[in-house]
Amino acid sequence: MSEHFLKKTKVEKDQLVSVHDVPVVEQFESLKAAIAARAGAEAARIFAEPFVNWGNDVSGSTVSWYGDVPGNAQRLSGLDPDRRAEAEERLTRALGQVRALLGDPEIGKLVAGALSIPSPEDILVVGSRPLITNWGMRPAGAVAGESADNEHFAATLGKYLPLGAAPVLFATDVLDAPPASGAAAASQAAGMQPASAASAAQPSDVRPQAVVGGDGSGGSVPPQDRGDGGADDDAPRGSGRALIWPVAVLAVVLAIVAAWLLLPGTRLFPTDGRAAERALDDSSLDLVRQLNADLAERERVLQAALDGAVCMPDGSLVLPDGRLPDGLLPPPRDASISPTETGRGEVIREGRSDAVAPPDPTRIAVPEAPRPNGSLAEEKLGEDDSAQQQNLVEVVEERTVLVIARNGEGLGVGTGFFIAPDLVATNHHVIEAALKGGSVLVSNGALAELHPAEVVTSDGPFADTLADFALLRVPGVSSPYFSVAAGDRTLKLQNV
Protein backbone atom coordinates (compact mmCIF):
# COMPACT_ATOMS: atom_id res chain seq x y z
CA MET A 1 0.00 0.00 0.00
CA SER A 2 1.37 3.42 -1.04
CA GLU A 3 1.49 5.98 1.76
CA HIS A 4 2.97 9.18 0.27
CA PHE A 5 0.21 11.67 -0.61
CA LEU A 6 0.46 13.26 -4.07
CA LYS A 7 -2.76 15.18 -4.79
CA LYS A 8 -6.55 15.17 -4.43
CA THR A 9 -8.96 15.54 -7.34
CA LYS A 10 -12.66 16.39 -7.50
CA VAL A 11 -14.37 14.22 -10.11
CA GLU A 12 -17.72 13.87 -11.81
CA LYS A 13 -18.89 10.32 -12.41
CA ASP A 14 -19.21 10.93 -16.17
CA GLN A 15 -15.43 11.54 -16.25
CA LEU A 16 -14.64 7.97 -15.17
CA VAL A 17 -13.85 5.38 -17.81
CA SER A 18 -15.58 2.09 -17.02
CA VAL A 19 -14.75 -1.46 -18.06
CA HIS A 20 -17.37 -4.14 -17.41
CA ASP A 21 -19.54 -1.42 -15.80
CA VAL A 22 -16.93 -0.78 -13.09
CA PRO A 23 -14.80 2.42 -13.09
CA VAL A 24 -11.21 1.61 -14.03
CA VAL A 25 -10.00 3.63 -11.04
CA GLU A 26 -11.69 1.11 -8.72
CA GLN A 27 -9.81 -1.80 -10.31
CA PHE A 28 -6.34 -0.65 -9.27
CA GLU A 29 -5.31 -3.86 -7.53
CA SER A 30 -6.19 -5.99 -10.57
CA LEU A 31 -4.46 -3.52 -12.89
CA LYS A 32 -1.28 -3.35 -10.80
CA ALA A 33 -1.05 -7.13 -10.32
CA ALA A 34 -1.59 -7.86 -14.00
CA ILE A 35 0.96 -5.29 -15.20
CA ALA A 36 3.53 -6.39 -12.60
CA ALA A 37 3.12 -10.06 -13.58
CA ARG A 38 3.26 -9.54 -17.34
CA ALA A 39 5.27 -6.34 -17.87
CA GLY A 40 7.32 -6.01 -14.69
CA ALA A 41 7.06 -4.19 -11.36
CA GLU A 42 8.68 -1.02 -12.73
CA ALA A 43 5.93 -0.62 -15.32
CA ALA A 44 3.22 -1.17 -12.69
CA ARG A 45 4.67 1.49 -10.37
CA ILE A 46 4.04 4.38 -12.80
CA PHE A 47 0.33 4.29 -11.92
CA ALA A 48 -0.35 6.16 -8.65
CA GLU A 49 -2.61 4.41 -6.15
CA PRO A 50 -6.12 5.94 -5.87
CA PHE A 51 -8.39 6.25 -2.86
CA VAL A 52 -11.95 6.98 -4.03
CA ASN A 53 -14.47 8.85 -1.88
CA TRP A 54 -17.86 8.94 -3.58
CA GLY A 55 -19.04 11.76 -1.29
CA ASN A 56 -22.70 12.42 -0.47
CA ASP A 57 -25.48 14.91 -1.20
CA VAL A 58 -23.37 17.73 0.24
CA SER A 59 -19.82 16.97 -0.85
CA GLY A 60 -18.84 15.70 -4.28
CA SER A 61 -16.74 12.70 -5.24
CA THR A 62 -12.97 12.92 -4.84
CA VAL A 63 -9.95 10.74 -5.58
CA SER A 64 -6.81 11.03 -3.45
CA TRP A 65 -3.63 9.80 -5.13
CA TYR A 66 -0.66 8.20 -3.38
CA GLY A 67 2.81 7.08 -4.46
CA ASP A 68 5.33 4.64 -3.02
CA VAL A 69 8.27 7.07 -3.26
CA PRO A 70 8.94 9.65 -0.50
CA GLY A 71 9.61 13.23 -1.53
CA ASN A 72 7.93 16.28 -3.01
CA ALA A 73 5.88 15.67 -6.15
CA GLN A 74 6.42 18.04 -9.08
CA ARG A 75 4.70 18.30 -12.42
CA LEU A 76 6.66 16.80 -15.29
CA SER A 77 6.07 19.96 -17.33
CA GLY A 78 7.66 22.12 -14.62
CA LEU A 79 11.01 20.30 -14.34
CA ASP A 80 14.30 21.61 -15.62
CA PRO A 81 15.34 20.15 -19.00
CA ASP A 82 17.76 17.52 -17.63
CA ARG A 83 15.40 16.12 -14.97
CA ARG A 84 12.49 16.21 -17.40
CA ALA A 85 14.42 14.29 -20.05
CA GLU A 86 15.36 11.60 -17.51
CA ALA A 87 11.78 11.27 -16.26
CA GLU A 88 10.35 11.18 -19.80
CA GLU A 89 12.79 8.44 -20.73
CA ARG A 90 11.65 6.31 -17.77
CA LEU A 91 8.00 7.00 -18.59
CA THR A 92 8.44 6.07 -22.25
CA ARG A 93 10.26 2.85 -21.30
CA ALA A 94 7.57 1.84 -18.80
CA LEU A 95 4.68 2.60 -21.17
CA GLY A 96 6.47 0.63 -23.88
CA GLN A 97 6.37 -2.42 -21.60
CA VAL A 98 2.64 -1.83 -20.97
CA ARG A 99 1.86 -1.53 -24.68
CA ALA A 100 2.05 -5.27 -25.30
CA LEU A 101 -0.81 -5.81 -22.85
CA LEU A 102 -3.33 -3.78 -24.87
CA GLY A 103 -4.13 -6.81 -27.00
CA ASP A 104 -4.45 -9.16 -24.03
CA PRO A 105 -7.96 -10.69 -23.99
CA GLU A 106 -8.11 -10.66 -20.18
CA ILE A 107 -6.77 -7.24 -19.18
CA GLY A 108 -6.42 -5.38 -22.49
CA LYS A 109 -9.50 -3.25 -21.91
CA LEU A 110 -8.51 -2.44 -18.33
CA VAL A 111 -5.02 -1.33 -19.35
CA ALA A 112 -6.40 0.71 -22.25
CA GLY A 113 -8.86 2.47 -19.97
CA ALA A 114 -6.10 3.37 -17.51
CA LEU A 115 -4.17 5.15 -20.28
CA SER A 116 -6.77 7.92 -20.40
CA ILE A 117 -5.87 11.01 -18.32
CA PRO A 118 -7.53 14.44 -18.37
CA SER A 119 -4.37 16.54 -18.81
CA PRO A 120 -0.58 16.33 -19.30
CA GLU A 121 -0.36 18.08 -15.89
CA ASP A 122 -1.52 14.80 -14.30
CA ILE A 123 1.95 13.34 -14.86
CA LEU A 124 3.98 13.98 -11.69
CA VAL A 125 7.59 13.22 -10.83
CA VAL A 126 9.03 12.35 -7.42
CA GLY A 127 12.82 12.31 -7.56
CA SER A 128 13.26 10.79 -11.01
CA ARG A 129 10.22 8.47 -10.81
CA PRO A 130 7.27 9.42 -13.07
CA LEU A 131 3.82 8.83 -11.56
CA ILE A 132 0.57 9.02 -13.51
CA THR A 133 -2.38 10.42 -11.54
CA ASN A 134 -6.02 10.84 -12.62
CA TRP A 135 -5.67 7.79 -14.83
CA GLY A 136 -8.88 6.15 -16.00
CA MET A 137 -10.53 9.57 -16.42
CA ARG A 138 -11.64 11.84 -19.23
CA PRO A 139 -11.44 15.65 -19.07
CA ALA A 140 -14.40 17.31 -17.33
CA GLY A 141 -17.11 18.20 -19.83
CA ALA A 142 -15.36 16.45 -22.73
CA VAL A 143 -17.54 15.13 -25.56
CA ALA A 144 -16.64 11.53 -26.36
CA GLY A 145 -15.85 10.84 -29.99
CA GLU A 146 -13.25 9.08 -32.09
CA SER A 147 -11.57 12.22 -33.42
CA ALA A 148 -11.63 14.06 -30.09
CA ASP A 149 -10.32 11.03 -28.17
CA ASN A 150 -7.47 10.52 -30.65
CA GLU A 151 -6.42 14.18 -30.44
CA HIS A 152 -6.61 14.19 -26.63
CA PHE A 153 -4.53 11.03 -26.27
CA ALA A 154 -1.89 12.39 -28.66
CA ALA A 155 -1.61 15.49 -26.44
CA THR A 156 -1.29 13.51 -23.18
CA LEU A 157 0.26 10.03 -22.93
CA GLY A 158 0.50 9.71 -26.71
CA LYS A 159 3.73 11.71 -26.52
CA TYR A 160 5.35 8.78 -24.73
CA LEU A 161 3.30 5.91 -26.22
CA PRO A 162 2.66 6.56 -29.94
CA LEU A 163 -0.41 4.64 -31.10
CA GLY A 164 -2.68 4.73 -34.13
CA ALA A 165 -5.71 5.57 -32.01
CA ALA A 166 -6.67 6.40 -28.44
CA PRO A 167 -6.75 3.18 -26.37
CA VAL A 168 -9.93 4.36 -24.64
CA LEU A 169 -11.83 3.72 -27.90
CA PHE A 170 -11.09 0.03 -27.44
CA ALA A 171 -11.41 0.02 -23.64
CA THR A 172 -14.66 1.57 -22.57
CA ASP A 173 -17.85 -0.43 -22.56
CA VAL A 174 -20.11 2.43 -21.51
CA LEU A 175 -19.84 4.33 -24.78
CA ASP A 176 -21.29 3.56 -28.19
CA ALA A 177 -19.00 1.39 -30.29
CA PRO A 178 -16.67 3.50 -32.49
CA PRO A 179 -16.93 3.38 -36.26
CA ALA A 180 -15.26 0.54 -38.09
CA SER A 181 -12.24 2.64 -39.02
CA GLY A 182 -11.74 3.61 -35.38
CA ALA A 183 -12.05 -0.01 -34.22
CA ALA A 184 -9.48 -1.09 -36.75
CA ALA A 185 -7.09 1.64 -35.68
CA ALA A 186 -7.56 0.78 -32.05
CA SER A 187 -6.90 -2.89 -32.74
CA GLN A 188 -3.72 -2.07 -34.63
CA ALA A 189 -2.61 0.17 -31.77
CA ALA A 190 -3.08 -2.72 -29.37
CA GLY A 191 -1.02 -5.04 -31.54
CA MET A 192 -4.05 -7.02 -32.78
CA GLN A 193 -4.88 -8.16 -36.30
CA PRO A 194 -8.09 -6.63 -37.73
CA ALA A 195 -9.76 -10.03 -37.85
CA SER A 196 -9.08 -10.73 -34.18
CA ALA A 197 -10.29 -7.28 -33.22
CA ALA A 198 -13.54 -7.87 -35.06
CA SER A 199 -14.03 -11.19 -33.35
CA ALA A 200 -13.34 -9.59 -29.98
CA ALA A 201 -16.03 -7.00 -30.65
CA GLN A 202 -18.67 -9.67 -31.37
CA PRO A 203 -20.29 -12.06 -28.86
CA SER A 204 -18.62 -15.43 -29.09
CA ASP A 205 -21.90 -17.31 -29.53
CA VAL A 206 -22.97 -15.47 -32.72
CA ARG A 207 -22.43 -17.45 -35.90
CA PRO A 208 -22.85 -16.04 -39.43
CA GLN A 209 -25.96 -17.32 -41.16
CA ALA A 210 -24.40 -18.61 -44.34
CA VAL A 211 -25.51 -21.45 -46.60
CA VAL A 212 -24.07 -22.94 -49.75
CA GLY A 213 -26.08 -22.28 -52.86
CA GLY A 214 -27.27 -24.99 -55.17
CA ASP A 215 -24.52 -24.08 -57.60
CA GLY A 216 -21.83 -24.57 -54.97
CA SER A 217 -21.25 -20.88 -54.45
CA GLY A 218 -21.22 -19.42 -50.96
CA GLY A 219 -23.93 -16.90 -50.08
CA SER A 220 -25.63 -15.35 -47.11
CA VAL A 221 -29.34 -16.05 -47.05
CA PRO A 222 -31.67 -14.20 -44.69
CA PRO A 223 -33.66 -16.48 -42.38
CA GLN A 224 -36.98 -15.41 -43.86
CA ASP A 225 -35.88 -16.70 -47.29
CA ARG A 226 -34.85 -20.16 -46.09
CA GLY A 227 -38.35 -21.56 -45.92
CA ASP A 228 -37.90 -22.94 -42.38
CA GLY A 229 -38.80 -19.83 -40.37
CA GLY A 230 -35.15 -19.24 -39.55
CA ALA A 231 -34.73 -22.48 -37.57
CA ASP A 232 -31.26 -24.01 -37.44
CA ASP A 233 -31.23 -27.47 -39.07
CA ASP A 234 -28.51 -28.56 -36.63
CA ALA A 235 -30.56 -27.76 -33.50
CA PRO A 236 -32.28 -30.79 -31.89
CA ARG A 237 -36.05 -30.87 -31.94
CA GLY A 238 -37.73 -29.83 -28.69
CA SER A 239 -34.59 -28.23 -27.23
CA GLY A 240 -36.63 -25.19 -26.10
CA ARG A 241 -38.88 -27.38 -23.95
CA ALA A 242 -35.89 -29.32 -22.60
CA LEU A 243 -34.47 -26.15 -21.03
CA ILE A 244 -37.60 -25.38 -19.00
CA TRP A 245 -37.30 -28.07 -16.31
CA PRO A 246 -33.79 -27.04 -15.04
CA VAL A 247 -35.05 -23.49 -14.59
CA ALA A 248 -38.06 -24.75 -12.64
CA VAL A 249 -35.88 -26.90 -10.37
CA LEU A 250 -33.57 -23.95 -9.72
CA ALA A 251 -36.53 -21.73 -8.81
CA VAL A 252 -37.78 -24.32 -6.29
CA VAL A 253 -34.32 -24.61 -4.69
CA LEU A 254 -34.00 -20.82 -4.39
CA ALA A 255 -37.45 -20.61 -2.79
CA ILE A 256 -36.48 -23.25 -0.18
CA VAL A 257 -33.24 -21.41 0.64
CA ALA A 258 -35.06 -18.08 0.97
CA ALA A 259 -37.64 -19.64 3.32
CA TRP A 260 -34.86 -21.16 5.47
CA LEU A 261 -33.12 -17.79 5.77
CA LEU A 262 -36.37 -16.21 6.98
CA LEU A 263 -36.82 -18.72 9.79
CA PRO A 264 -36.27 -17.19 13.27
CA GLY A 265 -32.93 -18.13 14.75
CA THR A 266 -31.24 -18.75 11.42
CA ARG A 267 -27.63 -17.59 11.72
CA LEU A 268 -26.63 -15.42 8.80
CA PHE A 269 -23.22 -14.47 10.20
CA PRO A 270 -20.53 -16.58 11.82
CA THR A 271 -20.15 -16.35 15.58
CA ASP A 272 -16.70 -17.90 15.62
CA GLY A 273 -14.22 -15.14 16.41
CA ARG A 274 -11.52 -16.91 14.43
CA ALA A 275 -13.65 -16.70 11.28
CA ALA A 276 -14.02 -12.95 11.73
CA GLU A 277 -10.27 -12.63 12.27
CA ARG A 278 -9.59 -14.50 9.06
CA ALA A 279 -11.75 -11.97 7.23
CA LEU A 280 -9.24 -9.24 8.01
CA ASP A 281 -6.26 -8.93 5.74
CA ASP A 282 -2.77 -9.24 7.15
CA SER A 283 -1.99 -5.54 6.92
CA SER A 284 -5.05 -4.59 8.97
CA LEU A 285 -4.14 -7.12 11.65
CA ASP A 286 -0.59 -5.78 11.80
CA LEU A 287 -1.92 -2.25 12.35
CA VAL A 288 -4.21 -3.43 15.16
CA ARG A 289 -1.40 -5.39 16.83
CA GLN A 290 0.91 -2.37 16.62
CA LEU A 291 -1.74 -0.11 18.12
CA ASN A 292 -2.29 -2.55 20.99
CA ALA A 293 1.45 -2.72 21.61
CA ASP A 294 1.68 1.10 21.67
CA LEU A 295 -1.21 1.32 24.13
CA ALA A 296 0.38 -1.33 26.36
CA GLU A 297 3.66 0.61 26.38
CA ARG A 298 1.82 3.83 27.20
CA GLU A 299 0.06 2.08 30.08
CA ARG A 300 3.42 0.87 31.40
CA VAL A 301 4.90 4.39 31.31
CA LEU A 302 1.90 5.90 33.11
CA GLN A 303 1.89 3.19 35.75
CA ALA A 304 5.60 3.69 36.40
CA ALA A 305 5.00 7.42 36.85
CA LEU A 306 2.19 6.76 39.34
CA ASP A 307 4.33 4.51 41.54
CA GLY A 308 5.25 6.66 44.57
CA ALA A 309 3.12 9.62 43.46
CA VAL A 310 1.18 11.60 46.09
CA CYS A 311 -2.28 13.10 45.64
CA MET A 312 -2.33 16.53 47.30
CA PRO A 313 -5.38 18.09 49.07
CA ASP A 314 -5.94 20.48 46.15
CA GLY A 315 -6.35 17.49 43.82
CA SER A 316 -2.98 17.80 42.10
CA LEU A 317 -0.80 14.71 41.68
CA VAL A 318 2.87 15.16 42.64
CA LEU A 319 5.34 12.60 41.31
CA PRO A 320 8.34 11.39 43.34
CA ASP A 321 10.61 14.02 41.75
CA GLY A 322 8.38 16.80 43.12
CA ARG A 323 6.89 17.71 39.78
CA LEU A 324 3.44 17.30 38.27
CA PRO A 325 2.88 14.71 35.49
CA ASP A 326 3.39 17.49 32.94
CA GLY A 327 6.98 17.93 34.18
CA LEU A 328 6.40 21.34 35.77
CA LEU A 329 6.71 22.32 39.43
CA PRO A 330 3.35 22.79 41.17
CA PRO A 331 2.22 26.35 42.00
CA PRO A 332 2.96 27.51 45.61
CA ARG A 333 0.24 26.45 48.07
CA ASP A 334 0.96 29.16 50.72
CA ALA A 335 -0.44 32.48 49.57
CA SER A 336 1.95 34.30 51.92
CA ILE A 337 4.93 32.96 49.98
CA SER A 338 5.63 34.85 46.78
CA PRO A 339 6.51 32.99 43.56
CA THR A 340 9.93 34.62 43.62
CA GLU A 341 10.72 33.19 47.06
CA THR A 342 9.82 29.68 45.99
CA GLY A 343 11.75 30.02 42.78
CA ARG A 344 8.81 28.56 40.92
CA GLY A 345 6.72 31.51 39.80
CA GLU A 346 3.08 31.71 38.74
CA VAL A 347 4.17 30.89 35.22
CA ILE A 348 6.81 28.18 35.04
CA ARG A 349 8.92 27.53 32.01
CA GLU A 350 11.40 25.05 33.43
CA GLY A 351 10.17 21.50 32.91
CA ARG A 352 11.14 17.98 31.96
CA SER A 353 11.43 17.09 28.30
CA ASP A 354 10.36 13.51 29.05
CA ALA A 355 7.18 14.40 30.96
CA VAL A 356 4.46 11.74 30.80
CA ALA A 357 1.66 14.26 30.13
CA PRO A 358 1.45 17.49 28.11
CA PRO A 359 1.77 20.64 30.25
CA ASP A 360 -0.97 23.15 30.91
CA PRO A 361 -0.41 25.87 28.26
CA THR A 362 -1.36 28.59 30.75
CA ARG A 363 1.69 27.62 32.85
CA ILE A 364 4.24 27.75 30.02
CA ALA A 365 6.07 31.07 29.76
CA VAL A 366 7.17 32.40 26.37
CA PRO A 367 10.35 34.32 27.18
CA GLU A 368 11.09 35.81 23.78
CA ALA A 369 7.85 36.76 22.06
CA PRO A 370 8.50 39.36 19.29
CA ARG A 371 6.67 42.68 19.71
CA PRO A 372 5.83 45.14 16.92
CA ASN A 373 8.53 47.60 18.01
CA GLY A 374 11.22 44.90 18.01
CA SER A 375 11.26 44.43 21.79
CA LEU A 376 10.70 41.19 23.63
CA ALA A 377 8.04 40.22 26.13
CA GLU A 378 10.65 39.87 28.88
CA GLU A 379 12.23 43.29 28.39
CA LYS A 380 11.63 45.62 31.28
CA LEU A 381 8.40 47.47 30.73
CA GLY A 382 8.11 48.10 34.48
CA GLU A 383 9.73 47.22 37.73
CA ASP A 384 8.19 43.73 37.93
CA ASP A 385 9.54 41.67 35.02
CA SER A 386 7.47 38.60 35.87
CA ALA A 387 4.28 40.60 35.37
CA GLN A 388 5.29 41.13 31.71
CA GLN A 389 5.76 37.44 30.95
CA GLN A 390 3.11 35.82 28.78
CA ASN A 391 2.00 32.24 28.79
CA LEU A 392 1.62 30.14 25.66
CA VAL A 393 -2.16 30.61 25.43
CA GLU A 394 -1.88 34.39 25.55
CA VAL A 395 0.87 34.47 22.96
CA VAL A 396 -1.09 32.29 20.55
CA GLU A 397 -4.37 34.16 21.00
CA GLU A 398 -3.00 37.65 20.33
CA ARG A 399 -1.07 36.48 17.26
CA THR A 400 -3.83 34.32 15.72
CA VAL A 401 -6.75 35.85 13.82
CA LEU A 402 -10.10 34.90 12.36
CA VAL A 403 -10.12 35.41 8.58
CA ILE A 404 -13.39 36.08 6.74
CA ALA A 405 -13.48 36.24 2.94
CA ARG A 406 -16.70 37.14 1.16
CA ASN A 407 -18.17 38.02 -2.21
CA GLY A 408 -21.61 38.09 -3.72
CA GLU A 409 -21.69 34.30 -4.15
CA GLY A 410 -20.20 32.87 -0.97
CA LEU A 411 -18.30 33.20 2.27
CA GLY A 412 -15.00 31.67 3.35
CA VAL A 413 -13.96 31.45 7.00
CA GLY A 414 -10.67 30.26 8.42
CA THR A 415 -7.71 31.23 10.59
CA GLY A 416 -4.37 32.90 10.10
CA PHE A 417 -1.46 34.24 12.15
CA PHE A 418 0.71 37.35 12.16
CA ILE A 419 4.25 36.90 10.84
CA ALA A 420 4.97 40.66 10.90
CA PRO A 421 3.17 43.60 12.57
CA ASP A 422 0.74 43.93 9.63
CA LEU A 423 1.19 40.65 7.67
CA VAL A 424 -1.00 37.58 8.17
CA ALA A 425 -0.30 34.10 6.77
CA THR A 426 -3.34 31.96 5.92
CA ASN A 427 -4.54 29.42 3.33
CA HIS A 428 -5.53 30.07 -0.27
CA HIS A 429 -8.79 28.17 0.14
CA VAL A 430 -9.78 30.50 3.02
CA ILE A 431 -9.57 33.69 0.93
CA GLU A 432 -10.49 32.13 -2.43
CA ALA A 433 -13.96 33.70 -2.34
CA ALA A 434 -12.43 37.20 -2.10
CA LEU A 435 -10.33 36.67 -5.23
CA LYS A 436 -13.51 36.94 -7.32
CA GLY A 437 -14.22 40.58 -6.52
CA GLY A 438 -14.79 40.25 -2.79
CA SER A 439 -13.20 41.46 0.44
CA VAL A 440 -11.22 40.02 3.37
CA LEU A 441 -11.64 40.89 7.05
CA VAL A 442 -9.54 39.79 10.05
CA SER A 443 -10.01 40.09 13.80
CA ASN A 444 -9.06 38.64 17.19
CA GLY A 445 -9.50 39.53 20.87
CA ALA A 446 -6.63 42.03 20.82
CA LEU A 447 -7.82 43.81 17.65
CA ALA A 448 -11.35 44.00 19.12
CA GLU A 449 -13.03 44.65 15.76
CA LEU A 450 -12.97 43.53 12.14
CA HIS A 451 -10.18 45.06 10.09
CA PRO A 452 -10.11 45.03 6.26
CA ALA A 453 -7.15 43.19 4.75
CA GLU A 454 -5.51 43.10 1.33
CA VAL A 455 -4.39 39.94 -0.45
CA VAL A 456 -0.67 40.45 -1.11
CA THR A 457 -0.17 37.09 -2.85
CA SER A 458 -1.56 33.56 -2.87
CA ASP A 459 -0.66 30.14 -4.24
CA GLY A 460 -3.44 27.63 -4.96
CA PRO A 461 -5.75 25.85 -5.27
CA PHE A 462 -3.90 22.75 -4.10
CA ALA A 463 -5.26 20.52 -6.86
CA ASP A 464 -3.64 22.80 -9.47
CA THR A 465 -0.46 24.10 -7.79
CA LEU A 466 0.20 21.57 -5.01
CA ALA A 467 0.22 24.55 -2.62
CA ASP A 468 -2.37 26.29 -0.42
CA PHE A 469 -1.00 29.54 0.99
CA ALA A 470 -1.94 33.23 1.07
CA LEU A 471 -0.37 36.38 2.54
CA LEU A 472 -2.56 39.26 3.76
CA ARG A 473 -1.67 42.84 4.71
CA VAL A 474 -3.76 44.56 7.40
CA PRO A 475 -3.25 48.33 6.99
CA GLY A 476 -3.09 50.39 10.16
CA VAL A 477 -2.51 47.40 12.46
CA SER A 478 0.65 46.80 14.49
CA SER A 479 0.29 43.42 16.17
CA PRO A 480 2.62 41.06 18.03
CA TYR A 481 3.72 38.33 15.64
CA PHE A 482 5.34 34.93 15.35
CA SER A 483 8.91 34.82 14.08
CA VAL A 484 9.20 32.34 11.22
CA ALA A 485 11.94 29.77 11.73
CA ALA A 486 14.33 29.21 8.84
CA GLY A 487 16.55 26.44 10.14
CA ASP A 488 19.29 24.74 8.19
CA ARG A 489 17.94 21.28 8.99
CA THR A 490 14.59 19.54 9.06
CA LEU A 491 12.41 19.84 12.15
CA LYS A 492 10.64 16.55 11.56
CA LEU A 493 10.37 14.37 14.68
CA GLN A 494 11.72 17.15 16.89
CA ASN A 495 9.97 18.04 20.16
CA VAL A 496 7.62 21.02 19.98
Side-chain angles (χ1 to χ4, degrees), residues 13-24 27 102 107-116 136-138 144-146 149 166-178 186 200-201:
K13 290 190 177 180
D14 58 2
Q15 288 184 252
L16 302 178
V17 178
S18 293
V19 170
H20 305 310
D21 294 326
V22 178
V24 172
Q27 304 183 55
L102 291 174
I107 63 163
K109 284 191 173 185
L110 184 59
V111 173
L115 293 176
S116 176
M137 298 184 188
R138 294 174 177 272
E146 180 183 358
D149 283 337
V168 71
L169 293 173
F170 168 70
T172 178
D173 56 9
V174 297
L175 302 173
D176 294 332

Side-chain angles (χ1 to χ4, degrees), residues 328 346-348 358-367 369 371 377 389-401 416-417 444-446 480 482:
L328 302 178
E346 285 296 335
V347 180
I348 307 298
D360 180 358
T362 61
R363 300 183 63 233
I364 302 177
V366 180
R371 313 298 297 184
Q389 289 185 343
Q390 290 182 294
N391 64 50
L392 182 58
V393 173
E394 294 170 339
V395 169
V396 171
E397 286 184 347
E398 70 175 356
R399 289 161 174 74
T400 306
V401 295
F417 55 91
N444 63 13
F482 291 114

Side-chain angles (χ1 to χ4, degrees), residues 333-369:
R333 300 183 184 86
D334 190 341
S336 65
I337 302 177
S338 70
T340 304
E341 292 175 1
T342 64
R344 297 172 178 176
E346 285 296 335
V347 180
I348 307 298
R349 87 182 71 131
E350 179 186 3
R352 293 181 46 160
S353 61
D354 59 347
V356 297
D360 180 358
T362 61
R363 300 183 63 233
I364 302 177
V366 180
E368 296 183 356

Side-chain angles (χ1 to χ4, degrees), residues 400-406 411-417 424-432 440-444 450 472:
T400 306
V401 295
L402 172 71
V403 181
I404 302 175
R406 60 185 180 181
L411 181 71
V413 178
T415 58
F417 55 91
V424 172
T426 185
N427 293 111
H428 173 86
H429 72 263
V430 173
I431 55 90
E432 191 169 10
V440 182
L441 302 170
V442 301
S443 183
N444 63 13
L450 291 171
L472 311 177

Side-chain angles (χ1 to χ4, degrees), residues 216 251 316 355-356 373 484:
S316 61
V356 297
N373 58 5
V484 180

Side-chain angles (χ1 to χ4, degrees), residues 101-325:
L101 304 182
L102 291 174
D104 190 289
E106 295 183 13
I107 63 163
K109 284 191 173 185
L110 184 59
V111 173
L115 293 176
S116 176
I117 61 175
S119 165
E121 302 302 309
D122 296 317
I123 306 174
L124 305 183
V125 177
V126 179
S128 61
R129 168 75 57 76
L131 288 167
I132 302 175
T133 61
N134 289 348
W135 51 263
M137 298 184 188
R138 294 174 177 272
V143 178
E146 180 183 358
S147 177
D149 283 337
N150 288 340
E151 291 180 3
H152 181 71
F153 178 74
T156 53
L157 292 180
K159 297 179 180 180
Y160 316 104
L161 181 63
L163 297 175
V168 71
L169 293 173
F170 168 70
T172 178
D173 56 9
V174 297
L175 302 173
D176 294 332
S181 60
S187 65
Q188 293 171 4
M192 300 169 57
Q193 295 299 321
S196 63
S199 64
Q202 296 180 355
S204 58
D205 57 349
V206 176
R207 293 180 295 172
Q209 297 176 343
V211 298
V212 179
D215 57 356
S217 62
S220 179
V221 182
Q224 61 269 26
D225 295 337
R226 289 167 55 184
D228 57 358
D232 191 343
D233 291 342
D234 294 333
R237 302 292 182 180
S239 60
R241 291 189 297 273
L243 293 176
I244 295 177
W245 71 267
V247 176
V249 172
L250 179 60
V252 172
V253 172
L254 291 176
I256 294 173
V257 172
W260 176 75
L261 291 175
L262 293 175
L263 290 175
T266 299
R267 297 186 180 275
L268 300 181
F269 302 98
T271 57
D272 184 3
R274 291 173 298 178
E277 181 178 334
R278 288 193 296 270
L280 296 173
D281 56 62
D282 293 339
S283 60
S284 297
L285 286 175
D286 289 342
L287 290 175
V288 172
R289 293 189 183 106
Q290 182 60 50
L291 176 60
N292 290 338
D294 292 342
L295 291 174
E297 175 61 19
R298 178 62 174 165
E299 180 184 20
R300 186 195 65 77
V301 171
L302 294 175
Q303 186 59 52
L306 287 174
D307 292 340
V310 178
C311 186
M312 306 306 294
D314 61 359
S316 61
L317 184 69
V318 179
L319 303 184
D321 63 355
R323 298 176 183 269
L324 302 180

